Short mmCIF file of all heavy atoms in Angstrom, two decimals:
data_model
loop_
_atom_site.label_atom_id
_atom_site.label_comp_id
_atom_site.label_asym_id
_atom_site.label_seq_id
_atom_site.Cartn_x
_atom_site.Cartn_y
_atom_site.Cartn_z
N LEU A 1233 6.80 -7.83 44.69
CA LEU A 1233 5.38 -8.25 44.45
C LEU A 1233 4.43 -7.00 44.51
O LEU A 1233 4.59 -6.12 45.37
CB LEU A 1233 4.99 -9.18 45.63
CG LEU A 1233 3.48 -9.57 45.76
CD1 LEU A 1233 3.07 -10.40 44.55
CD2 LEU A 1233 3.24 -10.31 47.03
N LEU A 1234 3.58 -6.92 43.56
CA LEU A 1234 2.47 -5.87 43.54
C LEU A 1234 1.19 -6.52 43.78
O LEU A 1234 0.79 -7.37 42.86
CB LEU A 1234 2.50 -5.06 42.28
CG LEU A 1234 3.80 -4.32 42.11
CD1 LEU A 1234 4.62 -4.89 40.98
CD2 LEU A 1234 3.49 -2.84 41.81
N SER A 1235 0.54 -6.28 44.83
CA SER A 1235 -0.88 -6.82 45.06
C SER A 1235 -1.50 -6.09 46.19
O SER A 1235 -0.67 -5.63 47.15
CB SER A 1235 -0.83 -8.35 45.40
OG SER A 1235 -0.31 -8.54 46.60
N THR A 1236 -2.72 -5.74 46.12
CA THR A 1236 -3.42 -5.10 47.26
C THR A 1236 -3.45 -6.06 48.47
O THR A 1236 -3.25 -7.28 48.28
CB THR A 1236 -4.90 -4.72 46.90
OG1 THR A 1236 -5.55 -5.96 46.72
CG2 THR A 1236 -4.99 -3.89 45.65
N ALA A 1237 -3.75 -5.49 49.66
CA ALA A 1237 -3.75 -6.37 50.84
C ALA A 1237 -4.81 -7.44 50.64
O ALA A 1237 -4.64 -8.60 51.00
CB ALA A 1237 -4.11 -5.49 52.04
N GLU A 1239 -5.87 -8.80 47.72
CA GLU A 1239 -5.44 -9.79 46.76
C GLU A 1239 -4.35 -10.62 47.44
O GLU A 1239 -4.31 -11.93 47.22
CB GLU A 1239 -4.79 -9.11 45.54
CG GLU A 1239 -5.96 -8.54 44.63
CD GLU A 1239 -5.50 -7.31 43.87
OE1 GLU A 1239 -4.37 -6.85 43.92
OE2 GLU A 1239 -6.35 -6.74 43.17
N HIS A 1257 7.17 -5.75 48.88
CA HIS A 1257 5.71 -5.88 48.54
C HIS A 1257 5.04 -4.52 48.50
O HIS A 1257 5.07 -3.82 49.49
CB HIS A 1257 5.07 -6.84 49.56
CG HIS A 1257 3.60 -7.07 49.33
ND1 HIS A 1257 2.78 -7.62 50.26
CD2 HIS A 1257 2.83 -6.74 48.18
CE1 HIS A 1257 1.54 -7.68 49.72
NE2 HIS A 1257 1.52 -7.16 48.50
N ILE A 1258 4.42 -4.21 47.45
CA ILE A 1258 3.74 -2.90 47.33
C ILE A 1258 2.21 -3.25 47.31
O ILE A 1258 1.73 -4.01 46.48
CB ILE A 1258 4.12 -2.16 46.02
CG1 ILE A 1258 5.56 -1.65 46.22
CG2 ILE A 1258 3.13 -1.06 45.74
CD1 ILE A 1258 6.14 -1.03 44.94
N THR A 1259 1.51 -2.60 48.28
CA THR A 1259 0.03 -2.79 48.38
C THR A 1259 -0.65 -1.55 47.99
O THR A 1259 -1.84 -1.50 47.87
CB THR A 1259 -0.38 -3.15 49.87
OG1 THR A 1259 0.19 -2.15 50.69
CG2 THR A 1259 0.19 -4.48 50.24
N ASP A 1260 0.09 -0.41 47.88
CA ASP A 1260 -0.59 0.90 47.55
C ASP A 1260 -0.89 0.95 46.04
O ASP A 1260 -0.16 1.44 45.26
CB ASP A 1260 0.34 2.04 47.92
CG ASP A 1260 -0.39 3.38 47.82
OD1 ASP A 1260 -1.66 3.38 47.64
OD2 ASP A 1260 0.24 4.43 47.91
N ILE A 1261 -2.01 0.31 45.69
CA ILE A 1261 -2.47 0.29 44.27
C ILE A 1261 -3.68 1.23 44.10
O ILE A 1261 -4.62 1.10 44.88
CB ILE A 1261 -2.90 -1.14 43.92
CG1 ILE A 1261 -1.84 -2.23 44.24
CG2 ILE A 1261 -3.33 -1.19 42.42
CD1 ILE A 1261 -0.56 -2.10 43.45
N ARG A 1262 -3.58 2.12 43.21
CA ARG A 1262 -4.73 3.14 43.06
C ARG A 1262 -5.13 3.11 41.62
O ARG A 1262 -4.32 2.92 40.71
CB ARG A 1262 -4.22 4.54 43.41
CG ARG A 1262 -3.52 4.67 44.61
CD ARG A 1262 -4.32 5.14 45.78
NE ARG A 1262 -3.48 5.40 46.91
CZ ARG A 1262 -2.95 6.55 47.23
NH1 ARG A 1262 -3.24 7.66 46.54
NH2 ARG A 1262 -2.06 6.68 48.16
N ARG A 1263 -6.42 3.38 41.41
CA ARG A 1263 -7.05 3.47 40.10
C ARG A 1263 -6.22 4.43 39.24
O ARG A 1263 -5.96 5.55 39.70
CB ARG A 1263 -8.46 3.93 40.26
CG ARG A 1263 -9.38 3.14 39.39
CD ARG A 1263 -10.87 3.19 39.76
NE ARG A 1263 -11.45 4.53 40.05
CZ ARG A 1263 -12.71 4.64 40.42
NH1 ARG A 1263 -13.46 3.60 40.66
NH2 ARG A 1263 -13.19 5.86 40.62
N VAL A 1265 -3.33 4.79 38.23
CA VAL A 1265 -1.88 4.93 38.58
C VAL A 1265 -1.43 6.38 38.65
O VAL A 1265 -0.81 6.91 37.76
CB VAL A 1265 -1.03 4.16 37.54
CG1 VAL A 1265 0.40 4.01 38.08
CG2 VAL A 1265 -1.61 2.85 37.14
N PRO A 1266 -1.68 7.00 39.87
CA PRO A 1266 -1.19 8.37 40.03
C PRO A 1266 0.34 8.38 39.99
O PRO A 1266 0.98 7.42 40.46
CB PRO A 1266 -1.67 8.76 41.41
CG PRO A 1266 -2.74 7.80 41.74
CD PRO A 1266 -2.54 6.53 41.01
N ALA A 1268 2.62 9.98 41.49
CA ALA A 1268 3.33 9.93 42.79
C ALA A 1268 3.40 8.55 43.32
O ALA A 1268 4.45 8.11 43.85
CB ALA A 1268 2.58 10.88 43.75
N VAL A 1269 2.31 7.80 43.14
CA VAL A 1269 2.34 6.36 43.66
C VAL A 1269 3.37 5.60 42.82
O VAL A 1269 4.07 4.75 43.32
CB VAL A 1269 0.88 5.79 43.51
CG1 VAL A 1269 0.89 4.25 43.83
CG2 VAL A 1269 -0.05 6.52 44.44
N ALA A 1270 3.34 5.79 41.47
CA ALA A 1270 4.30 5.13 40.57
C ALA A 1270 5.74 5.41 41.05
O ALA A 1270 6.57 4.53 41.10
CB ALA A 1270 4.00 5.51 39.14
N GLN A 1271 6.00 6.67 41.33
CA GLN A 1271 7.38 7.08 41.67
C GLN A 1271 7.86 6.43 42.96
O GLN A 1271 8.97 5.89 43.09
CB GLN A 1271 7.43 8.62 41.78
CG GLN A 1271 8.92 9.06 41.87
CD GLN A 1271 9.79 8.65 40.77
OE1 GLN A 1271 9.54 8.80 39.56
NE2 GLN A 1271 10.99 7.94 41.11
N ALA A 1272 6.90 6.30 43.97
CA ALA A 1272 7.27 5.64 45.18
C ALA A 1272 7.58 4.22 44.91
O ALA A 1272 8.56 3.61 45.49
CB ALA A 1272 6.11 5.78 46.18
N ALA A 1273 6.85 3.56 44.07
CA ALA A 1273 7.04 2.22 43.68
C ALA A 1273 8.36 1.98 42.97
O ALA A 1273 9.14 1.01 43.24
CB ALA A 1273 5.94 1.62 42.86
N ILE A 1276 11.19 2.11 45.45
CA ILE A 1276 11.40 0.85 46.20
C ILE A 1276 12.10 -0.24 45.32
O ILE A 1276 13.00 -0.94 45.84
CB ILE A 1276 10.01 0.29 46.70
CG1 ILE A 1276 9.48 1.28 47.76
CG2 ILE A 1276 10.12 -1.09 47.25
CD1 ILE A 1276 8.07 0.94 48.22
N SER A 1292 -5.43 -2.29 37.61
CA SER A 1292 -4.71 -1.20 38.36
C SER A 1292 -3.41 -1.75 38.83
O SER A 1292 -2.43 -0.98 38.90
CB SER A 1292 -5.60 -0.68 39.56
OG SER A 1292 -6.76 -0.23 38.98
N THR A 1293 -3.42 -2.99 39.30
CA THR A 1293 -2.19 -3.61 39.77
C THR A 1293 -1.14 -3.77 38.62
O THR A 1293 0.00 -3.37 38.74
CB THR A 1293 -2.45 -4.98 40.48
OG1 THR A 1293 -3.53 -4.74 41.43
CG2 THR A 1293 -1.29 -5.55 41.20
N GLY A 1295 -1.13 -2.16 35.97
CA GLY A 1295 -0.73 -0.80 35.53
C GLY A 1295 0.33 -0.21 36.36
O GLY A 1295 1.28 0.50 35.89
N THR A 1296 0.36 -0.51 37.67
CA THR A 1296 1.42 -0.04 38.56
C THR A 1296 2.74 -0.75 38.21
O THR A 1296 3.84 -0.13 38.20
CB THR A 1296 1.03 -0.23 40.03
OG1 THR A 1296 -0.26 0.22 40.25
CG2 THR A 1296 1.98 0.38 41.05
N ALA A 1297 2.70 -2.03 37.94
CA ALA A 1297 3.87 -2.72 37.56
C ALA A 1297 4.39 -2.20 36.23
O ALA A 1297 5.64 -2.08 36.11
CB ALA A 1297 3.56 -4.32 37.35
N ILE A 1300 6.46 0.94 36.71
CA ILE A 1300 7.81 0.63 37.21
C ILE A 1300 8.70 0.16 36.08
O ILE A 1300 9.82 0.58 35.87
CB ILE A 1300 7.84 -0.43 38.36
CG1 ILE A 1300 6.92 -0.01 39.49
CG2 ILE A 1300 9.26 -0.72 38.87
CD1 ILE A 1300 6.76 -1.06 40.60
#
Side-chain angles (χ1 to χ4, degrees):
L1233 170 68
L1234 296 110
S1235 70
T1236 63
E1239 285 149 5
H1257 179 194
I1258 288 173
T1259 54
D1260 188 12
I1261 307 292
R1262 313 260 187 95
R1263 223 160 51 184
V1265 195
V1269 172
Q1271 189 55 54
I1276 291 174
S1292 301
T1293 309
T1296 311
I1300 304 174

